[in-house]
Amino acid sequence: MPPLLLPSSAAAFKTRSAPNIVLSTKVDPWLTQTLKRINRIKRPLNSVPQHFRCLTETLSSPSAIWTLCSLMLPKAPESELRKDDNPLVEALFNYQILTIEAYIVHVDMVSQNEVAFKLTPESIESLVEYHKDIHSVDTAAATWNWSEKEVQLKKLQEDFVQAANRFVYRTNAMALEGLEEDGAGELLCGRSEEVRSAIMGLFLPLLPPPPRIVDVVRPTPLLPSSTGAENWWQPTMSLSQQTSMDPWRIVPSSPNTTSSADSTSSMWASMGMNEMQLPSPSSSFSEPYTTDCDSPPQFYSAPMTTAAYSSPMCMAPIPQLPLPSMLLQQQCSASMGFGGFDWGRYQDLSMSFAM
C-alpha cells in the first residue's frame, strides 16, 4: 500500500493536530542549525530521533503559526468606495490588509522533500466574509440579470468555502529555514508571491449562461438536389418580351428549335400575317425534303430579302411554324390577330406547307 502524500489533518474542515514528520536517516546540516537557533533551551541534536522530537514539539505548539502572505483588499463594494483626488486618501479609507496565516501539517524529507501548510480557521473565515460581502456583490453587478442568477451566486459562494478549506500550500522543505522561536515563521525567497497568486485564483467570477443557439428551421427540399424554394423549370419568356423583339433576331443556344404547339400558337396570335418575314438561311442549313414516292427529290428555301444581309448578327435556322390546320382548330376571334390575313392566298400557303 503506497504511503499517503498528506495526513488526514490536511483534509477540509479537519481540526489541527500534530504534524506528520518524516526524516531521512541522515539529517541535513541546515536543519540542525535552524533547530539550534530557535531553541531557548539547549538540547542535544546528535541523532535522527532527537531531531524528530525537537521538530515535532516545536511545530505542534499553538503559537506555531506561519505568515504566508498579506493581501490588500477593498473594504466595501466598488459602488460604495470613497472617491478622492488624492490616491493616498483613497488607499487609507478604501483598502484593508488581510494577513494569511497557516500552520504546518506535513514535513517529508525522504520522498517528496516538501512541507505542507494549511490555512488557519481565522484566515479562512476572513476570506469567506470578503468573498460574500464584497467580491460577490462586485461580480454580480458586473453581469447581466437572468432567471437563475441568485442560484448561481449562492453556488459560487459555497464553492469558495470548500476551496478555502481544502487549500494546502506545498513547497520545498528548505522553507523551514524561516522558522523562528515558538515554531512561528514566514516564507522566504519569494514564496509569498506564490501563495498570493494561488489564493487570489480562488476568487472566481460569476459567469452568465451561454446564449441559446436558435435552430433555423428550413423547409424540406422537394428534391434531394434542391437547396431551397426554387423553380423546377427555367422561366420562359413572357408574351410581352416575345412581341417586343423580332423573332428572327433571337439566336438560339442550339440548332433545335422545337417548341410546343401552345407557345407557337401564341406567337402566331400576336402578329398579323402581313408582318411575318422569313429570312433566308445560308445554304449550309438547307436540308432536302424527301418522300416515300418515286418522284425526284425537291429542295425548298424561302426567298432572300435584304433584311437578311443587312443584319450583322449570325443567321438563325428557320423556326418551325405551325400548319394552318393547327390554326383552324381554334375559334376565329379578334384575339387570333388575323386582321391582315388574305383568305385568297390560303391555297398558296397550304400548298407550300403540304409539299
Side-chain angles (χ1 to χ4, degrees):
M1 184 176 180
L4 296 177
L5 297 180
L6 292 177
S8 59
S9 60
F13 304 101
K14 292 294 183 178
T15 58
R16 181 180 178 182
S17 61
N20 182 28
I21 299 176
V22 180
L23 299 179
S24 61
T25 56
K26 184 179 179 181
V27 181
D28 294 334
W30 65 266
L31 181 58
T32 304
Q33 295 176 3
T34 302
L35 294 177
K36 289 181 178 181
R37 177 176 54 85
I38 65 173
N39 286 330
R40 296 179 180 178
I41 302 175
K42 303 300 180 179
R43 58 171 51 180
L45 296 174
N46 300 323
S47 62
V48 176
Q50 291 176 352
H51 285 78
F52 176 81
R53 189 181 305 110
C54 180
L55 187 60
T56 302
E57 293 177 358
T58 302
L59 298 180
S60 300
S61 174
S63 60
I65 302 299
W66 285 59
T67 301
L68 299 185
C69 66
S70 297
L71 303 177
M72 180 175 287
L73 302 175
K75 295 181 180 180
E78 186 177 359
S79 59
E80 302 178 6
L81 294 180
R82 179 177 177 177
K83 305 299 181 181
D84 196 283
D85 296 336
N86 190 350
L88 183 58
V89 175
E90 287 189 354
L92 292 176
F93 284 93
N94 296 334
Y95 290 91
Q96 59 182 340
I97 296 178
L98 181 61
T99 302
I100 304 300
E101 297 178 338
Y103 54 89
I104 295 177
V105 295
H106 177 63
V107 177
D108 182 7
M109 304 188 67
V110 177
S111 60
Q112 303 295 330
N113 192 29
E114 67 177 6
V115 58
F117 295 87
K118 181 176 174 59
L119 298 181
T120 60
E122 294 78 11
S123 296
I124 294 176
E125 183 179 359
S126 300
L127 291 174
V128 171
E129 290 180 356
Y130 168 78
H131 184 277
K132 180 180 179 180
D133 299 337
I134 300 177
H135 177 77
S136 298
V137 175
D138 289 341
T139 188
T143 56
W144 50 276
N145 296 325
W146 66 93
S147 59
E148 300 180 355
K149 182 176 181 179
E150 295 297 331
V151 178
Q152 294 294 331
L153 187 61
K154 185 177 180 180
K155 184 178 181 300
L156 184 66
Q157 296 174 357
E158 294 176 354
D159 293 343
F160 180 81
V161 173
Q162 295 289 334
N165 282 272
R166 289 195 307 263
F167 181 81
V168 174
Y169 175 66
R170 302 167 65 174
T171 185
N172 191 275
M174 294 289 293
L176 292 176
E177 290 182 339
L179 192 62
E180 298 175 0
E181 294 182 0
D182 298 331
E186 61 181 15
L187 297 178
L188 305 177
C189 302
R191 294 184 178 92
S192 296
E193 293 295 333
E194 298 178 0
V195 179
R196 185 181 294 106
S197 300
I199 292 179
M200 295 306 296
L202 301 178
F203 295 91
L204 301 178
L206 180 63
L207 299 178
R212 298 180 180 179
I213 302 177
V214 180
D215 296 334
V216 180
V217 180
R218 297 184 179 182
T220 305
L222 301 176
L223 292 177
S225 61
S226 177
T227 58
E230 56 185 9
N231 297 328
W232 285 9
W233 311 101
Q234 296 293 335
T236 57
M237 187 179 298
S238 60
L239 181 62
S240 61
Q241 293 179 352
Q242 292 178 359
T243 57
S244 62
M245 62 179 66
D246 297 334
W248 57 81
R249 295 184 181 275
I250 301 176
V251 181
S253 59
S254 62
N256 187 13
T257 58
T258 306
S259 60
S260 60
D262 296 340
S263 61
T264 310
S265 301
S266 61
M267 182 183 68
W268 278 100
S270 62
M271 62 177 64
M273 294 299 296
N274 294 337
E275 299 175 0
M276 294 187 300
Q277 294 183 4
L278 299 178
S280 175
S282 60
S283 60
S284 60
F285 292 98
S286 299
E287 299 180 357
Y289 176 83
T290 59
T291 58
D292 296 336
C293 58
D294 297 334
S295 59
Q298 299 179 3
F299 297 91
Y300 296 88
S301 60
M304 299 183 181
T305 60
T306 58
Y309 294 96
S310 61
S311 175
M313 299 176 60
C314 298
M315 193 62 61
I318 301 176
Q320 182 178 357
L321 301 178
L323 299 177
S325 60
M326 298 173 60
L327 298 176
L328 292 179
Q329 294 177 3
Q330 304 180 358
Q331 298 181 2
C332 296
S333 62
S335 63
M336 295 179 60
F338 287 107
F341 183 76
D342 188 2
W343 291 98
R345 299 180 57 190
Y346 172 74
Q347 296 295 333
D348 299 336
L349 183 60
S350 62
M351 289 299 294
S352 62
F353 282 91
M355 295 181 66

